[in-house]
Amino acid sequence: MENVFLFLFRTFVDFITIVLILRLIASRWISANNPIHQSIVLITGPIIRPFTSRFSKQSSLEIILIGLCLLIELFALWFMTTINCLNGPNFLQLIGLSTMKLMILVLRIFFISILAHVILTWLSPNSFTPATRFIGELVAPVLRPIKARLPYLAGLDLSPLIAVVIIQSIIMIIPINTVFSGILCSNFRRSEEHTSELQSRAYLVC
């Protein structure tokens, strides 16, 4: 039951964080007339409104969104490690983990978006639906510099392939496992049998 709760909690946190990240990206790169962009604005409006109304003179929307994403990820990690960990991360480790998990999440958003863009381009090259335009505008700033540096290959565009390889390589070199070293966690059930087991043995699962 605890595993189900943590899964639902993590899923909810990831959903909120992804929507906030998309709001940040969309505010810079994607047309405000796009229905999906407008939907993201409506979803995130109640979340950021208290901060924008209070700090709009000192902070830009981008800074507020980044700060909110970090705070949400920091709280989520603290909450989950408090429940699961026998020797949880300290505050500096939590900040490092939150930052790296946000970086990985942003990279995965672009990774999945590029794959979706390629698939939609193959299946419906002349489609101009809101989803197609949203994804196209989302990945364009990533693909454009790569495409500009590639030689002409008889109309074959290799920029998506190169982009996903670069993104996956960056994800692999982010040292998140190094930060987890020394953190003792146990995804345990609250039962007498397992409690007695935890008293004699700690499991390293992080």
Side-chain angles (χ1 to χ4, degrees):
M1 188 66 182
E2 183 177 313
N3 289 339
V4 175
F5 169 75
L6 291 177
F7 168 75
L8 294 175
F9 175 76
R10 183 74 251 183
T11 301
F12 175 75
V13 169
D14 285 343
F15 172 76
I16 296 297
T17 307
I18 288 172
V19 174
L20 289 172
I21 292 172
L22 289 175
R23 172 72 183 272
L24 174 63
I25 299 171
S27 66
R28 298 183 64 89
W29 295 346
I30 298 175
S31 171
N33 296 324
N34 189 291
I36 296 180
H37 185 179
Q38 295 172 355
S39 299
I40 292 173
V41 172
L42 288 176
I43 294 172
T44 57
I47 302 174
I48 68 174
R49 190 173 297 118
F51 301 94
T52 54
S53 62
R54 183 175 299 180
F55 300 110
S56 57
K57 294 183 180 180
Q58 292 83 11
S59 306
S60 66
L61 176 64
E62 290 81 3
I63 295 175
I64 293 172
L65 288 169
I66 294 172
L68 274 175
C69 289
L70 281 171
L71 286 175
I72 292 172
E73 192 62 46
L74 185 67
F75 170 77
L77 283 172
W78 171 81
F79 179 76
M80 296 184 72
T81 54
T82 299
I83 293 177
N84 280 337
C85 294
L86 304 174
N87 179 26
N90 56 41
F91 183 68
L92 290 178
Q93 286 176 314
L94 281 174
I95 293 177
L97 286 171
S98 301
T99 303
M100 286 186 284
K101 285 181 71 66
L102 274 181
M103 292 172 59
I104 292 173
L105 191 57
V106 171
L107 290 169
R108 284 177 176 166
I109 288 173
F110 281 108
F111 184 93
I112 295 173
S113 299
I114 291 171
L115 293 181
H117 173 68
V118 172
I119 294 172
L120 290 173
T121 301
W122 286 347
L123 296 179
S124 183
N126 298 319
S127 175
F128 296 99
T129 63
T132 303
R133 289 190 288 113
F134 183 89
I135 295 174
E137 293 177 10
L138 180 68
V139 303
V142 177
L143 300 181
R144 192 180 300 116
I146 300 174
K147 189 181 300 185
R149 290 168 172 78
L150 288 176
Y152 180 76
L153 298 174
L156 184 62
D157 185 11
L158 296 179
S159 58
L161 174 62
I162 296 174
V164 297
V165 169
I166 293 174
I167 290 172
Q168 187 60 34
S169 299
I170 296 174
I171 291 175
M172 293 175 65
I173 64 175
I174 293 177
I176 193 167
N177 291 330
T178 303
V179 181
F180 267 116
S181 61
I183 300 175
L184 291 174
C185 296
S186 179
N187 201 5
F188 56 87
R189 300 188 308 271
R190 296 185 180 279
S191 62
E192 293 183 359
E193 178 182 359
H194 202 67
T195 300
S196 61
E197 184 180 355
L198 286 175
Q199 290 175 350
S200 60
R201 185 177 180 184
Y203 293 90
L204 182 63
V205 301
C206 291

